[in-house]
Amino acid sequence: MRETILLISEDQGDLGLFKEILGTDRFSINQISLAQDLGGKILESACPLILADYDLVRDKTDIFFELQKSRSKACLIFFGEKFEAEEAAQILQKGVYSIIPRSLLSERIHDAIVGGLENRKAFIEILGMMDELKDVNKRLEDEKSALRGKNQELSFINRLSREVSYDLNWDRILPRMMDTGLKEILDYSLFGILYRIGANWNLALHLTENGLRIEEDIFKSEVLSRIFDERGKITDDEITLQLISPEVEGDKSASYLFPYIRTFPLSLAGKRLGAVALVPREAGLSEMDKEELMAILSNLLSLSLKNAQEYHRLREATVTDSLTGIYNRKGLGDFLQKEFQRAKRYKKVLSFVMIDMNDFKSVNDSFGHQAGDYVLRELAGCLKALIRQSDIVARYGGDEFAILLPETESSEAEVLMRRVSHEIEGHFYEWGSQKIKIGMSYGISNTDELNEGDTEVELVQRADSLLYASKQS
């Protein structure tokens, strides 16, 4: 049976594009325009998934969100030319499943649609389960003693749904669950969530008993072996462990915990996102009577985690230079603002370096723009390799680069940049049979050189002026 997709676009070419990408065997695509009754058409079609040109409907998004709150349960996917990070975050928080730049439609739209339909299915299942719990509550209203546990669970799920369904900050996901009442509805000695944001895996654990001892590496291995079929997919040392009070001490004899560990997968569209790990308080209890609750909880967390991952991916795309892979000017600005405030608050020094490649135009003129792009990528890699891990290198624009050096005096920055300049100017970039050599100029500014009341703007301007003077000389 084919899934029906509602396409909202004024561009007739979009219909052909999506049919070409998705095929017509599994999906049937119906296109409407803004000239039609948008709300009525959406409800009339009852499509499980809506694709909308965000550049077209930007001023009419309230229609979608109001329909989502009331009668429409369709999965929303927006596509468009450009999305700002803050704008993307607001869209995701309102329940949009994914936002995809037009330039990446051919790569991402199929997976996004499959994942969105799975997302919708999981969401409807959650609503169905919650409705079922409400029906039970109504039927057994007089049996308060037997119903107390169900009421508690339903209240917890409702509160948790409001709190974490569109929470983009997963660094505090477990404390927020505890604040919502996790300990009141689950009797556990240990509760943990294994999840990934970007390339980083995290394992957040809460232990309810003082003096309970756990050996970190053993626990990681045990959780991993139960979550993934192939152990080679992720190793213990790739996980950051977050322990929530009480204090936990290492003990290699702590394996007595693990025969009773329960794991529940976090997944959407068949993709494993992580898992929930649980050690019941009663060590001999191998099966729990909370299967339905844990299924709902896992679905809620899966939806929230998917939104957090999508936001992280979009934010990374907005602060990363697509050519070189290092931070772009916006990404540098975020770090510069934070480091400048930190240096000011703790009375630390901060150095900033502006770099310009000498006569880079001749590379493009002599060898072509592809060679120029190659040289820029190589330069970015060289700069990144020559600085400390705590330093930030970014492409400022064109052939200009910048380096942020926290807790670095001007003299130390000068020593570093002389070494960097020596390495760059002594390096040959091989393009076919040609060897390209390029020099660089730089200007260094430091917070100690600024006047009272100056900001990071003056820090950048000073480095830029010194760079200009260097090039003139």
Side-chain angles (χ1 to χ4, degrees), residues 70-116:
S70 55
R71 290 167 287 174
S72 172
K73 297 297 183 292
C75 175
L76 291 175
I77 296 178
F78 287 155
F79 62 92
E81 293 296 337
K82 185 178 181 182
F83 298 91
E84 296 296 333
E86 293 300 323
E87 183 182 39
Q90 293 174 3
I91 294 172
L92 290 172
Q93 286 177 317
K94 289 183 178 179
V96 173
Y97 175 73
S98 183
I99 52 181
I100 305 174
R102 271 188 177 273
S103 60
L104 300 176
L105 277 176
S106 60
E107 300 174 17
R108 295 181 180 170
I109 191 64
H110 184 274
D111 289 344
I113 287 176
V114 172

Side-chain angles (χ1 to χ4, degrees), residues 355-367 372 375-376 379 399-400 425 436-441 467 471:
I355 301 171
D356 185 78
M357 298 305 155
N358 296 334
D359 201 23
F360 180 77
K361 183 176 181 297
S362 65
V363 176
N364 288 328
D365 293 342
S366 301
F367 305 102
V375 171
L376 288 174
L379 282 167
D399 60 339
E400 287 187 321
E425 293 178 357
I436 302 172
K437 189 174 183 179
I438 193 166
M440 58 174 275
S441 300
L467 166 64
K471 289 185 71 70

Side-chain angles (χ1 to χ4, degrees), residues 285-435:
L285 185 62
S286 59
E287 295 296 331
M288 295 180 57
D289 60 350
K290 300 286 187 179
E291 298 294 334
E292 185 178 32
L293 174 65
M294 292 306 298
I296 297 174
L297 180 61
S298 298
N299 278 332
L300 280 173
L301 291 176
S302 297
L303 294 173
S304 177
L305 178 55
K306 179 64 176 65
N307 287 330
Q309 290 176 336
E310 184 73 7
Y311 171 71
H312 176 83
R313 183 185 64 77
L314 288 167
R315 189 181 185 284
E316 283 295 302
T318 65
V319 299
T320 304
D321 178 53
S322 59
L323 175 64
T324 62
I326 61 176
Y327 288 107
N328 59 20
R329 189 167 179 171
K330 183 182 185 307
L332 174 69
D334 293 345
F335 279 106
L336 178 58
Q337 187 177 43
K338 292 176 184 176
E339 288 296 332
F340 189 89
Q341 293 301 321
R342 191 173 74 90
K344 186 176 180 180
R345 183 182 304 114
Y346 298 108
K347 302 190 184 305
K348 302 285 188 180
V349 291
L350 176 68
S351 289
F352 182 82
V353 185
M354 189 73 80
I355 301 171
D356 185 78
M357 298 305 155
N358 296 334
D359 201 23
F360 180 77
K361 183 176 181 297
S362 65
V363 176
N364 288 328
D365 293 342
S366 301
F367 305 102
H369 287 281
Q370 287 186 331
D373 289 347
Y374 163 74
V375 171
L376 288 174
R377 284 193 296 270
E378 291 293 302
L379 282 167
C382 290
L383 290 172
K384 196 170 182 179
L386 291 169
I387 63 175
R388 303 169 301 183
Q389 190 172 4
S390 58
D391 301 332
I392 302 297
V393 62
R395 185 183 178 198
Y396 201 75
D399 60 339
E400 287 187 321
F401 293 84
I403 302 177
L404 189 62
L405 303 168
E407 299 187 29
T408 305
E409 302 283 354
S410 291
S411 57
E412 296 171 326
E414 182 63 40
V415 170
L416 170 66
M417 291 312 300
R418 285 179 182 174
R419 179 167 63 86
V420 169
S421 179
H422 177 76
E423 292 289 336
I424 294 295
E425 293 178 357
H427 185 73
F428 286 95
Y429 305 92
E430 296 187 1
W431 180 254
S433 60
Q434 303 292 328
K435 289 187 176 181

